[in-house]
Amino acid sequence: VISRQVQKINILNAIKAGAQDFVAEPSENEVLLKRLLYHLAPQDTVDSDAYEFNPIQAPLDVEPVNLMVEVCEHLSHAERGTESVVLHEVLSKVGQLAGSNRTSLVVAELGAETGVVLASSDDPSFNNFPLMLSKYPEIQHVMFSGKFVLIPDVKSHDLTSQIENQVKSIPIGSLMVFPVRYQNEVIGVLTIRRPRVSEIPSMTQLRILQAIANTMAAQSNIQLTLRRIYRDQAKKRQVNCKKSST
């Protein structure tokens, strides 16, 4: 769907009607081309419902289960003002399990042009960083569809074949993006980048990684709500300044 009607209710209605994507007008040709290439890419390297809603088979791998427990403990014991530090610790542990050189938590509103990186595994000082979502169509797709994206070889995928030219700070061989859901609404993503071409993890690890993403949803929603409040307050101040100047 390509539309100027970018209100949240219109986007949700498009999803319910079966739309695979939503592009807000006006849109640059480069952005539209990237979204088209994304959907034309082979499905087995984009996303798959086959990994969701399937029961986890026993016996369970101990390591990912332990990680899930640790994440819950870290988040539940986080003190006020230490959110960024705790999220960095959690993402570092997730990155170690997934063999990732950069694991990040991003929040954004549905249909928004920008998002915010709340924390990243490879740098504790890298937080609350604004992100132009048009440069990351894989994130936009996850935000819109609620499905997770699996790209085992970024060079063989039309969308990410030039990723080395865009991200030079770290090597990227494969990519995974999971939705962060709060009250059945996607409010962000968990991105896992790995330095080499890698096979898709086991069903158990995928399910646990998705569960970890959702475990961080409450903290992500708080940050998203605060940003809405600050934004609304800024708009009110601008309106008041215009009124007072006239």
Side-chain angles (χ1 to χ4, degrees), residues 24 26 41 48 75 77 94 108 118 140 154-155 169 184 190 212 215-216 243:
S48 174
L75 293 175
H77 289 83
V94 173
L118 292 184
Q140 291 179 309
V154 296
K155 289 185 178 180
S169 57
N184 204 34
L190 173 68
I212 289 172
T215 302
M216 292 187 281
K243 288 181 178 179

Side-chain angles (χ1 to χ4, degrees), residues 68 71 75 94 105 177-182 187-191 207-218 220:
M68 183 66 196
V71 168
L75 293 175
V94 173
L105 179 64
V177 187
F178 297 85
V180 175
R181 291 189 181 91
Y182 182 78
I187 61 171
V189 299
L190 173 68
T191 66
R207 292 297 303 280
I208 290 180
L209 287 171
Q210 179 61 74
I212 289 172
N214 290 334
T215 302
M216 292 187 281
S220 301

Side-chain angles (χ1 to χ4, degrees), residues 18-88:
Q20 294 297 312
D21 205 343
F22 191 101
V23 179
E25 288 187 319
S27 178
E28 297 180 4
N29 291 337
E30 183 181 358
V31 173
L32 186 59
L33 178 60
K34 284 184 177 180
R35 303 285 274 273
L36 289 172
L37 287 174
Y38 186 89
H39 291 288
L40 291 173
Q43 280 299 110
D44 59 341
T45 62
V46 177
D47 58 39
S48 174
D49 289 329
Y51 292 100
E52 294 190 283
F53 309 115
N54 283 296
I56 295 177
Q57 301 296 323
L60 296 178
D61 296 333
V62 175
E63 190 175 8
V65 174
N66 285 340
L67 174 62
M68 183 66 196
V69 173
E70 286 186 54
V71 168
C72 291
E73 291 174 345
H74 272 73
L75 293 175
S76 63
H77 289 83
E79 297 180 1
R80 185 175 300 176
T82 66
E83 293 87 356
S84 295
V85 175
V86 172
L87 286 175
H88 166 70

Side-chain angles (χ1 to χ4, degrees), residues 93 106 109 111-112 125 142 168 188 194 197 208:
K93 291 181 179 295
V106 180
E109 295 186 66
S125 64
V142 174
K168 298 182 179 181
R194 296 186 285 182
V197 175
I208 290 180

Side-chain angles (χ1 to χ4, degrees), residues 127-145:
N127 54 72
N128 298 316
F129 184 82
L131 201 68
M132 185 61 66
L133 295 179
S134 61
K135 296 182 179 180
Y136 303 90
E138 70 278 7
I139 293 179
Q140 291 179 309
H141 178 73
V142 174
M143 290 290 302
F144 182 79
S145 69

